[in-house]
Amino acid sequence: MDVRKLPLSGVTVVSVEQAVAAPYATRQLADLGARVIKVERPGEGDFARRYDTTVHGHSSYFVWINRSKESLTLDLKDPRGRDILHQLLRDADVFVQNLAPGAADRLGLGTAELTRRYPRLIPCTISGYGTSGPWADRKAYDLLMQCQTGLVSLTGTAEESARTGISVADIAAGMYAYSGVLTALYTRATTGTAHPVEVSLFEALAEWMGQPAYYTRYGGSQPPRLGTQHATIAPYGTYRAADGREVLFSIQNEREWAVLCAEFLGRPELTDDPRFATGSDRVTHREELNAIIAERFARDGAEELLKDLEAMGIACAGVNDVAGFLGHPVLAARDRWREVAVPGATVSALLPPADLAGLSARMDPVPAVGEHTEAILTELGRGPEEIEALRADSVV
């Protein structure tokens, strides 16, 4: 495809990134046409490359969030490596980093230093708990964030808490970094001022905890842990059909509640039952309500139940496993899959979720470690002998 037609064509992003949060942010910038130069350690690269080997020998994490990038290996502890990085930063638009606490400042890559040297540059820092405050120096990983924000206390069953099955803190931080960088680029274009961006995993996930935070602060107790049942809406959750499969359905308003009682449960009188008169009443008497619903579910298989609920206009779904999601008819019918090259193979990847009318999505290859090092160094004016000397000293 012609990257020049994409919205961020001409924008250069240099990223000293690892793991999930920063690479997720920069992949989305690359999706929109930005040139993303991913700086990795010589030899080993981003440690997320070795999280697993399930995708033709590559990590599922890495393949997911590193397409359409160029990989440059640099030893940033070596002054020659830092010189190369600064040569890139002179003409770059955005610098993203999620290094360990204090590492960027020690390398001369802190926000204050970069804004002094490069007034047009937009530095973006992704940290664990923020670059200031009492926990600024603590290590931070996704599950730690799920625990610290209280998310784990909301997830699971009454008997046992559970982590969320995807890296929600990393994804949240990556999304806010992405939107923050877009905002900073727009602001620079309209005012001429480059604003640094800072996002922490903790504060990104804290934002996603807004509803249970309000519920707990003003309700006196936190929402209960109920597995697939909704903590504050009833009925809303999964129920087991006669064939053993689970079906989820949701009642969002009184009109739907009346339809469910009359047409699905065959008990219109339940709308006048004081136990179930309002949404809050139904939550309070959840166990009694669930018993009534379970009795109805036990009469039919999942497909028949889904057909009936859909015909009544009640939101419902079967419970897919990941394989079921991969074969979802919506993804197939809407042509959401594309082939993306990885070193030695190709993989099926989902298109970015935001479609821009008239523009094709960028789905370029996932790079090998240091795949673009020589080309980038040559572009910077380094000759073959110098490049070979840098390789010999493991600077690149």
Side-chain angles (χ1 to χ4, degrees), residues 129-334:
Y129 295 97
T131 57
S132 62
W135 285 29
D137 294 331
R138 290 201 181 196
K139 286 187 175 181
Y141 301 113
D142 185 86
L143 185 52
L144 297 178
M145 297 301 104
Q146 292 191 37
C147 291
Q148 288 295 323
T149 58
L151 177 59
V152 165
S153 76
L154 300 174
T155 308
T157 65
E159 294 75 27
E160 187 175 11
S161 61
R163 69 176 289 270
T164 302
I166 59 174
S167 300
V168 287
D170 287 317
I171 293 169
M175 287 299 300
Y176 289 120
Y178 164 61
S179 62
V181 167
L182 290 180
T183 303
L185 285 168
Y186 175 79
T187 303
R188 191 187 68 177
T190 54
T191 68
T193 301
H195 292 277
V197 177
E198 180 179 346
V199 176
S200 77
L201 273 68
F202 179 76
E203 289 160 352
L205 195 55
E207 165 65 17
W208 287 17
M209 288 290 292
Q211 181 273 325
Y214 280 114
Y215 184 100
T216 302
R217 183 182 293 273
Y218 299 103
S221 61
Q222 74 173 48
R225 217 168 40 232
L226 297 168
T228 59
Q229 298 279 307
H230 196 288
T232 60
I233 303 173
Y236 189 162
T238 58
Y239 298 86
R240 194 166 300 279
D243 57 10
R245 295 170 58 193
E246 287 187 316
V247 171
L248 178 139
F249 79 93
S250 167
I251 295 299
Q252 296 282 318
N253 54 57
E254 297 309 308
R255 180 190 60 78
E256 291 179 350
W257 169 240
V259 170
L260 183 80
C261 293
E263 300 184 28
F264 184 73
L265 298 177
R267 297 185 60 180
E269 74 278 4
L270 291 177
T271 57
D272 298 321
D273 191 317
R275 296 174 299 171
F276 311 131
T278 68
S280 295
D281 292 328
R282 294 192 286 274
V283 170
T284 300
H285 298 279
R286 182 194 306 272
E287 290 188 12
E288 297 152 89
L289 178 56
N290 281 346
I292 295 170
I293 294 170
E295 182 181 349
R296 169 67 180 86
F297 265 62
R299 298 206 301 266
D300 293 310
E303 291 303 323
E304 186 173 351
L305 290 166
L306 287 166
K307 183 179 179 180
D308 289 345
L309 289 166
E310 287 171 6
M312 296 170 195
I314 293 173
C316 59
V319 179
N320 283 332
D321 57 12
V322 178
F325 150 70
L326 292 174
H328 202 288
V330 170
L331 297 177
R334 285 176 52 78

Side-chain angles (χ1 to χ4, degrees), residues 22 35 37-38 43 64 81 88 99 144-145 160 169 181 198 218-219 224 235 254 277 295 313 317 340 342 356 371 384:
R35 181 188 187 188
I37 299 174
K38 179 184 179 77
W64 164 44
L88 286 170
L99 294 167
L144 297 178
M145 297 301 104
E160 187 175 11
V181 167
E198 180 179 346
Y218 299 103
E254 297 309 308
E295 182 181 349
V340 171
V342 301
L356 300 177
E371 179 178 342

